[in-house]
Amino acid sequence: AALAAGLSAQLAREEAQARPGGAGVPSSPPGPGAGAGPDAALWDGRALPLLPLQPPRTGREILTAHITAMVCCAAMDTAGAAPGLDWLDGPSLLVDGARTADLAPSVLSLVETGDPGPLRAWMADLGIRPEKPVRLV
């Protein structure tokens, strides 16, 4: 109960500071020694994040990622593919021990133009059966 009360009070203080005028809350951060614990002097709420925030992904980017994931799952289930990790590009698909680099253009063709031909041809070349249900576990 004490933790919940402390979190609620901290949230109320942050919301009050975010409002224009501060609603009676001091606008400057507490000085050293002020606060609830020994780490209060180290906290600076004005600091920038270490890494820049990424913009929100668009619907097309999310759809492309989901279709790619489903194709990779189908390849692993029906064609004996394996997941891989490239140090530069991130996740990749390994078919017969070799990295497949031509999946992304086929998926983009489907998402951007609605043309399933290149993706169907790519899947047929590798022996991936799209009619077989994909196991997610």
Side-chain angles (χ1 to χ4, degrees):
L3 178 62
L7 290 174
S8 297
Q10 178 66 26
L11 182 61
R13 282 191 297 270
E14 289 175 4
E15 287 176 354
Q17 286 180 349
R19 281 188 234 129
V25 177
S27 61
S28 63
D39 294 332
L42 300 175
W43 177 256
D44 182 11
R46 296 171 286 144
L48 295 174
L50 295 176
L51 299 172
L53 298 176
Q54 298 294 324
R57 295 186 338 174
T58 64
R60 282 190 174 178
E61 290 172 337
I62 293 171
L63 180 61
T64 301
H66 282 87
I67 291 173
T68 302
M70 290 301 293
V71 169
C72 289
C73 287
M76 290 176 12
D77 285 348
T78 63
L85 185 62
D86 185 84
W87 70 273
L88 184 59
D89 296 330
S92 63
L93 184 66
L94 303 174
V95 178
D96 296 328
R99 181 175 177 256
T100 59
D102 51 352
L103 173 60
S106 303
V107 172
L108 285 176
S109 172
L110 174 65
V111 171
E112 292 179 357
T113 64
D115 181 19
L119 183 59
R120 286 185 189 268
W122 183 85
M123 291 174 70
D125 287 344
L126 292 178
I128 300 170
R129 298 185 349 219
E131 72 279 356
K132 184 170 174 149
V134 174
R135 292 180 299 144
L136 298 177
V137 179

